[in-house]
Amino acid sequence: MSMEGDEGNRDQSSREEWTLLFWTTLAVVVPVIITLWCSVQRSKRKIHMKDFFRKSKHGWHCTDLFNKPTYCCVCQQHILQGAVCDCCGVCADETCLRRADRSLVCKEIMAPSRTDGTLAHRWVRGNVPLCSVCAVCKEQCGNQPKLCDFRCVWCQTTVHDDCKLSLSDGERCELGEFRSLIIPPHYLHHVNKLRRRHPDEYSKLASACGSGWTPVLVLANTRSGNNMGEALLGEFRTILNPVQVFDLSELPPSKALQLCTLLPPGSVRVLVCGGDGTVGWVLDAIDTMKLKGQDQFIPRVMILPLGTGNDLSNSLGWGSGYAGEIPVEQVLRNILEAEVVKMDRWKVQVASKGLYFRKPKVLSMNNYFSVGPDALMALNFHTHREKTPSFFSSRIINKLELDGERVALPSLEGIIVCNIGYWGGGCRLWEGMGDEPYPPTLDDGLLEVVGVFGSFHCAQIQVKMANPVRLGQAHTVRLVLKTSRMPMQVDGEPWAQGPCTITITHKTQAFMLYHSAEQTDDDDDESSTSEAESSAPHDSPKPAGPASARA
């Protein structure tokens, strides 16, 4: 009996083990299967939605995070997960998305005007901006927990449902505060109808857009800096004509700037949202316009700094970085208030020693050129330096010539050639710790050349504990490097270079927008503020403060 009992216990124990194994396996496998299935479905949905968005005339983007209570423009229910059009502001939940795409018209980039030559309001119902005020009764709009009230996608006017018929101007839209920056849809419609596309014809059409019309193009690099570019694109599309806003990750600046050739000569301003590299990319595209004989359409360039460094932006008074601290409306107001200045651009030619049959490397420079420790940090040669302590143990520059005259050099580890006042993320290199009696300017055709003794010296300069070695100013700079392989950079783009001769000469000038209303990040006392304001650039600018910044 005891043997039979033992066998029964073993059978029962075995069944329990198998049961436990089954449920354990089920508990592990089922969630994995469900997760994989959900992942596949999400992937299919993403591909499907991407294709749908590509074919749509709206500028949809999906979201499940809204910064305010949001209601579907189709079913009028509260949205938990859905899509928003960046251009017109229409919102729809996932189930109503296709219906919204078919039935609700987006902001038209090109359309005829009314019979009297004016533009009609283009209303979208509901989801008005927070703290909006009715244009009729001056009371707050959008304060009811439902889809209510209207907003014009062009002039941004908001009005209550009950007050809409009482608007003083009826259905006439004046494009709002930023009318002088917006390209009206009827302007492009008339341009498209022109038989002879000539600048004089564009100027005639522009007269209907009002005096002082200076349309702006927004060119944003969504890969720059803190990845704010994509959000900024949406905000600018909401205020401006979507045709004015370009994503440089999808369309290069050379193509985006061709819109300038359909606008009155000399009227266009370009807002570049990105770092110094993005600005250089756009300025190179503008130089290409000059080569095509499109000089009269050259735009004026403003910078909204999104990348790292941003020394050119700082030099022009736009600060060292943008993180959304001011709304895009204020950015557009700054464009209206900015002054036009000229900025020198330079050609850097690098001819490698012994490679006489190879074309020299040619680069464009806006900010600075450097060879030595400064470029080493950009190139991240730290490991190399640890392995080779003698990397900078001897003089690396065989010869330096400024305007053809040889300069006697102390035992330097690096040379920095500056076109602007700021270097190294906000340091005023040429001014150093003291005041420079003859501050450099952006358009004087001169470069400032300084030397550094090493990376520690660079660090001291950046924290204002030391001055660089001033070597002089020149219209042309020529450097001869000896046999070692050295790091060098132009505007933050580094590379390793063998023995060579570097020649820097004047290339052209660009029209930039300078902001003189506020101090830049590096101004730290009231006296520098008054100095900057008293010497702010006019026709031939010589700004101090940020613009001794050669701005």
Side-chain angles (χ1 to χ4, degrees):
M1 291 292 296
S2 60
M3 292 181 63
E4 291 178 359
D6 291 342
E7 288 180 2
N9 290 336
R10 281 196 297 271
D11 291 343
Q12 184 177 355
S13 176
S14 178
R15 283 195 299 271
E16 290 176 354
E17 289 175 358
W18 279 106
T19 301
L20 180 61
L21 180 61
F22 170 77
W23 286 111
T24 302
T25 304
L26 199 63
V28 172
V29 172
V30 169
V32 171
I33 293 174
I34 293 173
T35 302
L36 290 174
W37 183 84
C38 291
S39 178
V40 171
Q41 295 302 311
R42 278 196 301 268
S43 180
K44 287 181 179 179
R45 175 180 170 274
K46 187 176 180 180
I47 294 171
H48 179 71
M49 294 300 288
K50 187 177 180 180
D51 184 61
F52 170 71
F53 290 165
R54 182 176 56 83
K55 296 177 181 178
S56 174
K57 291 184 179 180
H58 283 273
W60 297 113
H61 76 267
C62 285
T63 182
D64 56 1
L65 182 63
F66 294 92
N67 59 2
K68 61 178 182 178
T70 305
Y71 301 90
C72 177
C73 292
V74 178
C75 68
Q76 303 188 18
Q77 298 301 309
H78 187 269
I79 299 177
L80 296 178
Q81 186 173 17
V84 180
C85 176
D86 287 333
C87 303
C88 65
V90 165
C91 303
D93 59 31
E94 281 197 7
T95 57
C96 299
L97 189 55
R98 290 189 175 277
R99 186 178 167 190
D101 193 68
R102 289 193 305 267
S103 61
L104 302 177
V105 181
C106 190
K107 203 174 187 178
E108 294 179 303
I109 63 175
M110 183 171 63
S113 58
R114 299 196 301 179
T115 53
D116 60 355
T118 61
L119 180 70
H121 283 299
R122 169 71 179 84
W123 300 108
V124 169
R125 187 159 188 256
N127 304 308
V128 299
L130 295 173
C131 301
S132 298
V133 176
C134 177
V136 176
C137 69
K138 309 304 179 185
E139 298 292 333
Q140 185 175 348
C141 287
N143 54 359
Q144 299 182 51
K146 64 178 183 178
L147 190 77
C148 63
D149 304 335
F150 290 88
R151 175 184 63 90
C152 175
V153 299
W154 289 109
C155 64
Q156 310 306 317
T157 295
T158 53
V159 63
H160 288 127
D161 294 330
D162 298 334
C163 297
K164 186 167 175 284
L165 295 177
S166 303
L167 277 172
S168 58
D169 58 357
E171 284 299 308
R172 180 174 179 174
C173 178
E174 298 287 352
L175 295 177
E177 178 184 359
F178 304 109
R179 65 178 66 87
S180 60
L181 299 178
I182 297 173
I183 301 177
H186 55 76
Y187 173 87
L188 293 177
H189 176 78
H190 291 313
V191 168
N192 194 46
K193 295 290 184 180
L194 286 176
R195 292 184 178 181
R196 185 177 71 102
R197 292 192 175 182
H198 189 272
D200 292 341
E201 299 294 331
Y202 302 151
S203 298
K204 291 178 184 177
L205 292 175
S207 62
C209 300
S211 60
W213 186 50
T214 54
V216 64
L217 306 185
V218 178
L219 278 60
N221 187 351
T222 54
R223 298 171 183 171
S224 281
N226 50 13
N227 296 318
M228 285 193 64
E230 192 169 344
L232 282 171
L233 284 172
E235 293 186 61
F236 282 117
R237 287 191 185 111
T238 298
I239 298 173
L240 305 172
N241 189 328
V243 78
Q244 299 174 243
V245 185
F246 299 91
D247 184 350
L248 294 181
S249 66
E250 298 177 357
L251 190 75
S254 57
K255 292 186 178 180
L257 290 173
Q258 287 307 298
L259 182 56
C260 296
T261 63
L262 300 178
L263 297 165
S267 66
V268 182
R269 300 191 170 197
V270 169
L271 173 62
V272 181
C273 306
D276 288 342
T278 304
V279 177
W281 190 18
V282 172
L283 293 179
D284 284 340
I286 291 175
D287 286 345
T288 303
M289 291 178 67
K290 295 178 183 178
L291 295 176
K292 292 179 179 179
Q294 299 172 344
D295 300 62
Q296 59 186 326
F297 297 108
I298 295 303
R300 281 64 176 147
V301 179
M302 173 185 158
I303 306 169
L304 186 64
L306 299 185
T308 54
N310 298 312
D311 290 305
L312 179 55
S313 172
N314 227 351
S315 296
L316 290 167
W318 300 112
S320 59
Y322 176 78
E325 59 274 11
I326 61 173
V328 293
E329 290 84 359
Q330 185 58 49
V331 174
L332 294 175
R333 292 184 193 107
N334 290 342
I335 297 177
L336 293 170
E337 298 166 0
E339 302 174 57
V340 179
V341 299
K342 291 181 179 179
M343 183 188 74
D344 294 318
R345 302 193 72 220
W346 302 82
K347 180 174 74 173
V348 180
Q349 184 170 292
V350 183
S352 298
K353 183 178 179 181
L355 302 176
Y356 303 109
F357 298 103
R358 181 180 296 178
K359 288 184 179 180
K361 184 176 184 176
V362 179
L363 301 150
S364 296
M365 184 186 88
N366 304 310
N367 300 0
Y368 38 73
F369 164 86
S370 68
V371 56
D374 174 49
L376 178 70
M377 289 183 280
L379 194 55
N380 197 17
F381 260 91
H382 299 95
T383 305
H384 190 144
R385 184 165 188 161
E386 289 175 3
K387 292 181 179 178
T388 316
S390 60
F391 200 57
F392 290 109
S393 60
S394 60
R395 181 181 296 178
I396 63 170
I397 311 293
N398 272 15
K399 187 193 299 184
L400 172 62
E401 294 180 0
L402 301 182
D403 290 337
E405 295 185 9
R406 187 163 183 173
V407 178
L409 296 174
S411 183
L412 299 171
E413 286 193 5
I415 296 288
I416 303 171
V417 182
C418 290
N419 180 46
I420 61 176
Y422 281 91
W423 161 86
C427 175
R428 293 179 183 173
L429 192 64
W430 183 252
E431 291 181 24
M433 294 166 61
D435 294 323
E436 167 58 37
Y438 303 104
T441 61
L442 280 169
D443 62 345
D444 58 2
L446 288 171
L447 292 165
E448 285 69 55
V449 185
V450 301
V452 293
F453 294 114
S455 57
F456 183 66
H457 187 204
C458 287
Q460 287 180 311
I461 293 169
Q462 288 185 313
V463 296
K464 299 182 180 181
M465 293 181 62
N467 284 326
V469 179
R470 292 186 184 179
L471 300 175
Q473 294 177 298
H475 299 88
T476 303
V477 177
R478 184 171 178 267
L479 299 93
V480 179
L481 301 187
K482 60 189 299 185
T483 55
S484 59
R485 187 170 179 83
M486 293 302 303
M488 59 181 62
Q489 68 161 331
V490 172
D491 292 349
E493 299 297 327
W495 75 95
Q497 176 67 45
C500 66
T501 299
I502 300 144
T503 306
I504 305 177
T505 55
H506 193 269
K507 179 182 178 183
T508 185
Q509 284 188 325
F511 291 102
M512 309 297 290
L513 294 179
Y514 174 77
H515 183 49
S516 58
E518 298 176 357
Q519 287 181 293
T520 51
D521 295 347
D522 203 45
D523 293 318
D524 49 17
D525 56 50
E526 293 181 0
S527 61
S528 63
T529 304
S530 59
E531 183 184 1
E533 291 175 348
S534 64
S535 57
H538 298 289
D539 294 332
S540 179
K542 280 185 177 294
S548 81
R550 308 212 358 144

